[in-house]
Amino acid sequence: MGMNTLTVTDNRTGKLYEIPITEGAIPAPDLRKIKTGPEDFGLMCYDPAFMNTASCRSRITYIDGDKGILRYRGYPIEQLAERRSFLEVASLLIFGELPSQEQHDAWSEQVMLHTMVHENIKKFMEGFRYDAHPMGMFLSTIGALSTFYPDAKQIGDIESRHLQMLRLIGKVPTIAAYAYRHSQGLPYVAPDNGLPYTANFLSMMFRMAEPAYRPHPDLVRALDVLFILHADHEQNCSTSAMRGIGSSHVDPYSALAGAASALYGPLHGGANEAVLAMLNEIGTVANVPAFVKKVKAGEGRLMGFGHRVYKSYDPRARILKQMSDAVFAVQGRNPLIHIALELERIALEDDYFVSRKLYPNVDFYSGLIYQAMKFPVAMFPVLFAIPRTVGWLAQWEEMLMDPEQKIARPRQIYIGSGARDVPARPARRAEAGVLAR
Ligand code: CMC
């Protein structure tokens, strides 16, 4: 018997099966050989929420949840956040290597060329109610983009794929900013391609009547770091949605609208919005112990705590905690930070959280920083979606190029009724009358 195999005895039949182990995994289709007889479908894995199922082999992002490690294409997130810009990291995620200066200049220029949106996109966005949630506007508008670019259906063509990527990465900040301006009743601000990517986004968000809007460089840098930290996170809920929808070979705008919808939920990208709501609800440092007690009693969750993969500290939270001071130095201290720090202190000492390995995740601090930067809370999931667009696209292309991938189609274990006959409907009086006529 080979060393890299798993031997399974089926106690129902006494038969022995040898299943190969590759890269720490067994191929689930091999379980189908394990049958009690020719009529038996064969064994399946039952894994709701994909707790222990790898759906792909990927070269993009590496996470060691126990050690708190996050790397993009092998580079530690801490070094990328310190030494590179968001667009360089975007290029790394999509093409696999850090760009040379020349490549980076060309890539940035191309992305910035695609920041403008068709005039009808503006009209489309004007159709939303004045109080529409910016994330709802964002994801619907991304879906609508597919109607503007029918060429995006050519997903087998590398040039077309890369053109759609440039369009999407270029346009997501514009759509995000327009969603915000619409919700405020403010006129849209056209992209300023003389500015770098994140500075241009701040200009489209906050420019009023200034002849030239120049955001504070420390805020631009902070936003760039936030974008780097959010750019990819391997097979999370929204990325799995991107891959799953994309596996039907739909265009990337439609797939990305679905991924953005998955991100909208409070257990995923909506969590930083929920963190702020929670901190506001707590209100004062003195109320923290009572709030923690309620959480431990099962009344709600500590938002911004816990992670499916990180079972020690989330490395992104550590970077953000440090960076919050730089933002507060420019914008003033967010008063909620005191409540957040006290919450973290108590939770990290409490056996309930320690035994369940619940630590602050990226969303615990990002909301406080975004709020200090004057972004409204409703924009938080949108701010997550802008950089994650890069990760979704990198993962989408990897999925399309992977010869092992097919349309995503999980199995189920049917637990409903057995076959039964539909009883004849007793004729109702009115029907009987109609029939009689
Ligand atoms: N507060 C209190 N208890 C919690 C929390 C929390 N935030 N998270 C998990 N638990 C408890 C949970 O009740 C369970 O306890 P028990 O074993 O007694 O039933 C145990 O910890 C395991 O929880 P789980 O729900 O099985 O864990 P999961 O891996 O399915 O959930 C999570 C991961 C992120 C959805 C969850 O921790 C959570 O809801 N956190 C709050 C929301 C949040 O901050 N989400 C942002 C995630 S990071 C950004 C991103 O990547 O999207």
Side-chain angles (χ1 to χ4, degrees), residues 336-388:
L336 295 175
I337 186 80
H338 302 292
I339 302 172
L341 290 173
E342 181 63 0
L343 206 53
E344 181 179 348
R345 190 189 66 75
I346 293 186
L348 293 184
E349 284 173 1
D350 193 302
D351 188 55
Y352 175 94
F353 298 95
V354 175
S355 63
R356 288 170 177 78
K357 300 188 173 173
L358 299 171
Y359 298 91
N361 58 50
V362 67
D363 290 320
F364 194 63
Y365 286 103
S366 62
L368 290 168
I369 300 175
Y370 286 139
Q371 195 179 50
M373 291 174 83
K374 311 279 184 249
F375 287 107
V377 172
M379 278 298 285
F380 292 0
V382 183
L383 290 164
F384 195 156
I386 296 171
R388 187 54 63 85

Side-chain angles (χ1 to χ4, degrees), residues 49 51 230 233 236-238 263 265-272 274-275 295-296 298 300-311 314 316 352-353 356-364 384 388:
M51 297 293 286
H230 286 88
H233 213 231
N236 52 77
C237 177
S238 57
L263 188 71
L267 297 188
H268 192 8
N272 49 15
V275 170
V295 170
K296 285 165 63 178
R301 288 197 162 192
L302 202 50
M303 299 313 286
F305 261 68
H307 201 277
R308 173 63 57 78
V309 180
Y310 294 119
K311 298 302 174 195
D314 178 340
R316 303 167 299 173
Y352 175 94
F353 298 95
R356 288 170 177 78
K357 300 188 173 173
L358 299 171
Y359 298 91
N361 58 50
V362 67
D363 290 320
F364 194 63
F384 195 156
R388 187 54 63 85

Side-chain angles (χ1 to χ4, degrees), residues 11 25 39 45 66 174 189 253 278 404-405:
N11 292 323
E39 296 298 304
C45 279
D66 291 329
T174 314
V189 176
Y253 302 98
M278 175 188 74
E404 287 183 335
Q405 292 293 339

Side-chain angles (χ1 to χ4, degrees), residues 5-57:
T5 60
L6 177 75
T7 304
V8 178
T9 309
D10 185 348
N11 292 323
R12 299 170 302 176
T13 59
K15 278 194 196 157
L16 240 66
Y17 298 86
E18 201 180 342
I19 300 172
I21 301 176
T22 316
E23 293 157 340
I26 56 161
D30 276 27
L31 299 177
R32 292 276 295 278
K33 293 180 210 151
I34 305 177
K35 296 175 176 226
T36 49
E39 296 298 304
D40 187 353
F41 177 80
L43 217 58
M44 292 189 289
C45 279
Y46 177 56
D47 190 6
F50 302 108
M51 297 293 286
N52 193 36
T53 296
S55 61
C56 63
R57 298 166 81 242

